[in-house]
Amino acid sequence: MSPRPRETSDDEILAATGRVMQRLGPGQITLAAVAREAGVVPATLIQRFKTKRGLLLAACSTAPDATAKQFAAARAKFASPLEALIDLYADCSGFALTPEAVATGLAYLQVDLTDPEFRAITLAQFRAIQHETQRLLDEAVEAGELRACDTGELARLLQQLDGGALLGWAVFREGPVDRWVRREVEAVLRPYRTKKGVGKPGGRGPRKH
């Protein structure tokens, strides 16, 4: 007898949904497209998530917890809190590697701003980003990489800058998006850096692996 095929997990389906969302806007995405990406039949999605809306809500609901994990991974990768922060913001721009992908993201943002359930998830994600950003800024101050400042205010500024930087890159289209975002983040942080935090962009370099 051949072994029973492994059932695709909900996490794998939601990851596949995220990949399709990067390519297709809310008006174009279908259960069939996600099913193809996940290697399942559309009936599986209907059985587990009922509707396309249910699937998209489930996919988006992973964002707040994923934010904390992304920041934890950056802390583990870099010895410098400042470098971890800069690299994180630059790396997170990777979901929108083309201007078309930025436009797709803005289409989903329209839904987030007008649908109460999606807005609640987006609000939780934004609060998580702001909280984790402030934590890294506090750590950078403690490490002597940044001078003492209102880290809550600076965290809010960085968060607002991030969205604006993506939009600016999509308009100007000069170089890779991660390089563009990194430059903008470093420009905001530059007045707050101490001598210890100045040198290579981001600080002291990665940890050993």
Side-chain angles (χ1 to χ4, degrees), residues 66-78 84 87-88 91 132 136 207 209:
T67 296
K69 293 177 182 177
Q70 288 173 327
F71 275 80
R75 282 187 177 88
K77 182 179 179 182
F78 293 97
D87 188 79
L88 184 68
D91 187 61
E132 293 292 342
L136 270 178
R207 295 181 185 274
H209 295 283

Side-chain angles (χ1 to χ4, degrees), residues 86-110:
I86 294 171
D87 188 79
L88 184 68
Y89 270 77
D91 187 61
C92 284
S93 64
F95 80 92
L97 292 176
T98 66
E100 292 76 17
V102 175
T104 299
L106 290 174
Y108 282 105
L109 182 60
Q110 287 182 306

Side-chain angles (χ1 to χ4, degrees), residues 7 15 21-22 30 47 81 91 103 120 146 150 152 155 166 200 202-203 208:
E7 187 176 83
M21 289 173 71
Q22 293 180 28
T30 63
Q47 180 184 32
D91 187 61
L146 294 178
D150 185 339
L166 281 175
K200 290 184 178 180
K208 295 180 179 178

Side-chain angles (χ1 to χ4, degrees), residues 13 15 20 26 59 81 96-97 131-132 148 151 157 169 174 190 203:
I13 290 175
V20 178
L97 292 176
H131 172 72
E132 293 292 342
T151 54
L157 180 60
W169 172 80
E174 297 173 359
R190 191 172 298 122

Side-chain angles (χ1 to χ4, degrees), residues 6-33:
R6 182 178 65 86
E7 187 176 83
T8 304
S9 70
D10 284 356
D11 287 345
E12 290 171 319
I13 290 175
L14 296 180
T17 304
R19 294 193 297 272
V20 178
M21 289 173 71
Q22 293 180 28
R23 304 194 300 266
L24 302 176
Q28 292 77 43
I29 193 169
T30 63
L31 291 177

